Amino acid sequence: MDQTDLRSRSAEIRSRMYTHIRDTETIKRKVGQKRGRRELRESTIPSLKRSLTGTKRRADGMTREAERTVDRIGRLETQMTDMQNEFRETKAALHTGQTAYNFEMDLAAYIYPPGTVIRHGRIFTRLMDWLRDNRNTPEGREGIRRWEELKIRFGWSDNTHKSVFFKMLRCRQAYAHPIVNYALQTSGNFTRTEARHVEDIRQMTIWLNEQHNP
């Protein structure tokens, strides 16, 4: 092998050596990078676990709070429904009772002689007593005539309508005196037959009110 061949062979060996060194350094660098990433991953795993645990805990807490909120909303809706039902019943009772009160007041004003002062309390009962006690006087006879005509006009029965009237009157004992809406539904504690009598008394009250306040 001549000198030229030796130099060529030497250059080839050096080239391979440099290539090997370069490849080795590349491998070391890659290994180091991988090791670093693995170590980084291993070092962050506990932190990530804690973060995930905290996130799950917060999510569970939000879920429980949402469930409690739904329960509260359900209870509030139930309470609201109960209050609405109670309000409707109270309003119906007030108007039913006030109808009876208006009836006896307007009836007394219609039957008593003009100028009679009507005292509050037991108005209907006192009026019936007055008609009985004054049946032989001109005022009493006129009052009886009016009362009998009114009963015939609206089909009043002393047995049924009278007892229903007093039942209506008791509806308002615990309440104030509202302005009556005569179109409002009757209180639910009356039977169907009684409700028809309530309507009769309601219509009588409307008619009497028109006579008293033309």
Side-chain angles (χ1 to χ4, degrees), residues 188-210:
N189 60 343
F190 289 88
T191 66
R192 289 186 177 181
T193 300
E194 290 174 337
R196 288 196 295 270
H197 296 327
V198 169
E199 183 59 28
D200 293 336
I201 295 172
R202 196 195 313 269
Q203 294 302 320
M204 293 172 74
T205 304
I206 294 172
W207 186 87
L208 287 166
N209 186 264
E210 291 173 349

Side-chain angles (χ1 to χ4, degrees), residues 25-210:
E25 292 296 329
T26 301
I27 292 172
K28 287 182 178 180
R29 186 171 61 254
K30 290 182 178 180
V31 170
Q33 290 174 350
K34 289 182 179 180
R35 184 181 295 114
R37 285 196 295 269
R38 184 172 62 252
E39 291 175 352
L40 178 62
R41 287 196 299 269
E42 291 175 352
S43 65
T44 56
I45 285 175
S47 177
L48 289 173
K49 286 183 177 180
R50 287 192 297 271
S51 179
L52 288 172
T53 300
T55 301
K56 185 178 184 301
R57 188 181 299 112
R58 288 192 295 272
D60 291 342
M62 292 174 66
T63 300
R64 288 192 296 271
E65 181 61 27
E67 291 173 349
R68 287 193 293 268
T69 300
V70 170
D71 290 340
R72 286 196 295 269
I73 291 174
R75 288 194 298 271
L76 287 173
E77 288 178 344
T78 300
Q79 292 173 1
M80 182 64 69
T81 300
D82 293 342
M83 290 175 63
Q84 288 174 342
N85 292 337
E86 182 180 355
F87 174 76
R88 281 193 292 267
E89 177 58 29
T90 300
K91 188 175 182 180
L94 278 170
H95 285 263
T96 300
Q98 190 66 28
T99 296
Y101 176 79
N102 291 355
F103 165 74
E104 64 176 356
M105 283 292 293
D106 291 340
L107 179 65
Y110 179 68
I111 291 179
Y112 278 131
T116 301
V117 177
I118 302 172
R119 293 182 299 164
H120 293 280
R122 302 179 66 250
I123 297 171
F124 181 85
T125 300
R126 285 204 304 268
L127 175 61
M128 296 299 107
D129 291 343
W130 182 87
L131 287 174
R132 185 191 65 242
D133 296 341
N134 292 273
R135 60 185 179 275
N136 295 322
T137 66
E139 294 85 357
R141 285 193 292 270
E142 175 61 17
I144 291 173
R145 183 190 67 79
R146 288 192 168 202
W147 178 225
E148 292 300 324
E149 287 181 353
L150 189 64
K151 289 195 292 184
I152 293 172
R153 182 187 184 111
F154 290 95
W156 174 279
S157 168
D158 285 334
N159 292 326
T160 55
H161 282 80
K162 186 176 179 179
S163 62
V164 170
F165 160 73
F166 284 116
K167 185 175 181 179
M168 290 172 63
L169 202 59
R170 288 192 295 271
C171 288
R172 59 175 289 278
Q173 290 178 349
Y175 304 100
H177 301 254
I179 298 175
V180 173
N181 177 4
Y182 291 108
L184 195 67
Q185 183 178 359
T186 302
S187 175
N189 60 343
F190 289 88
T191 66
R192 289 186 177 181
T193 300
E194 290 174 337
R196 288 196 295 270
H197 296 327
V198 169
E199 183 59 28
D200 293 336
I201 295 172
R202 196 195 313 269
Q203 294 302 320
M204 293 172 74
T205 304
I206 294 172
W207 186 87
L208 287 166
N209 186 264
E210 291 173 349

